[in-house]
DNA sequence: ATCAGAAACGAACGTATGTTCGTTTCCAGG
DNA sequence: CCTGGAAACGAACATACGTTCGTTTCTGAT
């Protein structure tokens, strides 16, 4: 037996990536074996190497593509918002939450499996992440300068907001008690006005 | 060669746990091999089994003890605070941050390596974590009832606060630009009053 | 119609893993 | 002083891993 009738590289590659995403999300990168992955797609382990050169390259590809998609979709959401800092902040919050709630596996992997990346792979992802953080930091600084946000350390503020929002992906269940809209409203409120009465 | 002169079970066990903590923190639980761990402590791999029955039992022990310590030290901090909800909330925030900034490896492991636990081990840890979350949720509910915190979903609010605070451990560096005291002040402020001017 | 390359196969490589076993030496309680 | 258990050793087990190799078949461009 050899090449299978109807086989298509593009489609197989997509299947591998989808299955890899799910397996890494469930078991973790180190715990996922390529034999598992191959079985999930219905391939022999060796055949995976027609589609990526290395297990780590697969992981890096998944994270990289996720970060690129996140960056471009965030840019789109921001440019659709009103230009004042407060509107942009609200748009950022809503977009971050909605996007992340839709892409739980990707988000999980991009946050938890970074340490499995080595050297250049890691550096490239960290650079993308920094670009994303900078989008928020810039909004916060603009808001502080305009007097609509309380002055302070914009970087810490950005970290605090991102941690809080991304944390929501940890406990969110689509069948849960809250709709996505309510989650956005609550978090926007907490970020802007805090918990004090 | 066999039992080594001066060998002491209690001390060796402590060394193993300390080295395990560091290795898991650096490389991840799945990526840490028992041979690495044994070498770090100066033992043969087989000798580890005089101190724990299974690799997973080691992980579970580390997380379990961390959670117990966190719970009891939090209880102490709360009972030292004034009894009104706002004081208790401030005490909780300060204690969570200070404790977590001191115990970065433990916190990292307790949050990142949960998925390596199976069955009863996982259930036990999740129960402890729920108890911890409940400490904060109770404070928030008391504050809402007393009218010093804005009414809302106390559980979501607790998750949001915890994610934000724990996130600080990710980027905090002891040699960084901010002191621990400033970090506490900033986060308390953000939680209570938000970012809006 | 042909043929280069894409896409799969099956087998194997070397290595590493968690763990078990039997043995040996040291320590502490009677 | 003796002895049972504690704490280490070295060797080995079965298994699993990521990856390489050579081969075979199908596909798409010329």
């Amino acid at each position: 037996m050899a090449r299978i009738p109807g086989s298509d590289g593009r489609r197989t590659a997509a299947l591998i990536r989808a299955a890899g995403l799910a397996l890494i999300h469930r078991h973790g990168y180190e715990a996922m074996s390529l034999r598992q992955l191959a079985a999930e797609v219905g391939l022999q382990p060796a055949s995976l190497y027609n589609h990526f050169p290395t297990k780590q390259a697969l992981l890096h590809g998944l994270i990289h593509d996720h970060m690129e998609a996140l960056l471009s979709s965030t840019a789109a959401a921001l440019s659709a918002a009103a230009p004042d800092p407060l509107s942009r902040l609200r748009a950022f919050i809503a977009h971050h939450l909605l996007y992340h709630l839709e892409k739980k596996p990707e988000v999980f992997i991009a946050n938890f499996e970074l340490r499995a990346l080595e050297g250049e792979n890691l550096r490239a992802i960290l650079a993308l992440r920094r670009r994303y953080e900078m989008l928020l930091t810039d909004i916060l600084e603009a808001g502080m300068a305009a007097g609509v946000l309380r002055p302070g350390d914009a970087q810490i503020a950005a970290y605090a907001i991102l941690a809080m929002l991304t944390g929501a992906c940890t406990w969110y269940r689509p069948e849960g008690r809250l709709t996505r809209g309510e989650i956005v409203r609550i978090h926007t409120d907490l970020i802007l006005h805090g918990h004090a009465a």
Side-chain angles (χ1 to χ4, degrees), chain A:
Chain A
M1 223 181 281
R3 176 162 186 173
I4 261 65
S7 62
D8 171 15
R10 237 102 47 154
R11 196 181 44 188
T12 304
L15 288 177
I16 291 174
R17 293 166 57 85
L21 204 60
L23 282 176
I24 296 176
H25 180 214
R26 240 197 317 276
H27 307 305
Y29 169 75
E30 303 279 0
M32 174 196 74
S33 83
L34 294 183
R35 283 167 174 81
Q36 255 176 77
L37 176 57
E40 197 83 10
V41 188
L43 288 178
Q44 292 298 318
S47 305
L48 295 173
Y49 286 82
N50 284 319
H51 303 280
F52 55 82
T54 264
K55 190 188 181 190
Q56 171 155 166
L58 171 65
L59 175 64
H60 177 255
L62 289 174
I63 300 183
H64 180 268
D65 291 1
H66 163 66
M67 292 300 297
E68 292 281 16
L70 174 64
L71 276 168
S72 72
S73 105
T74 302
L78 286 182
S79 70
D84 65 290
L86 223 53
S87 299
R88 285 171 67 79
L89 177 55
R90 296 187 111 98
F92 185 95
I93 294 170
H95 177 267
H96 182 101
L97 275 174
L98 295 176
Y99 190 87
H100 280 58
L101 293 183
E102 299 283 324
K103 309 260 187 184
K104 284 184 62 173
E106 288 87 341
V107 170
F108 197 87
I109 292 175
N111 286 319
F112 279 62
E113 304 292 2
L114 275 187
R115 74 177 141 188
L117 294 179
E118 296 164 341
E120 182 50 40
N121 283 345
L122 178 60
R123 290 231 322 278
I125 300 298
L126 289 181
L128 290 175
R129 194 171 71 174
R130 221 164 295 128
R131 269 180 52 200
Y132 184 66
E133 293 165 355
M134 205 64 79
L135 289 178
L136 177 55
T137 312
D138 286 348
I139 293 174
L140 294 176
E141 279 176 348
M144 292 174 187
V148 294
L149 297 181
R150 296 193 300 137
D153 188 312
Q155 179 149 325
I156 306 294
Y159 286 156
I161 291 174
L162 288 173
M164 171 173 152
L165 294 181
T166 305
C169 303
T170 304
W171 52 262
Y172 172 73
R173 300 282 175 276
E175 70 280 11
R177 146 174 66 92
L178 293 173
T179 68
R180 281 189 270 264
E182 288 169 326
I183 292 179
V184 169
R185 189 182 49 72
I186 292 175
H187 282 85
T188 304
D189 206 45
L190 288 181
I191 289 174
L192 287 181
H193 306 112
H195 299 253

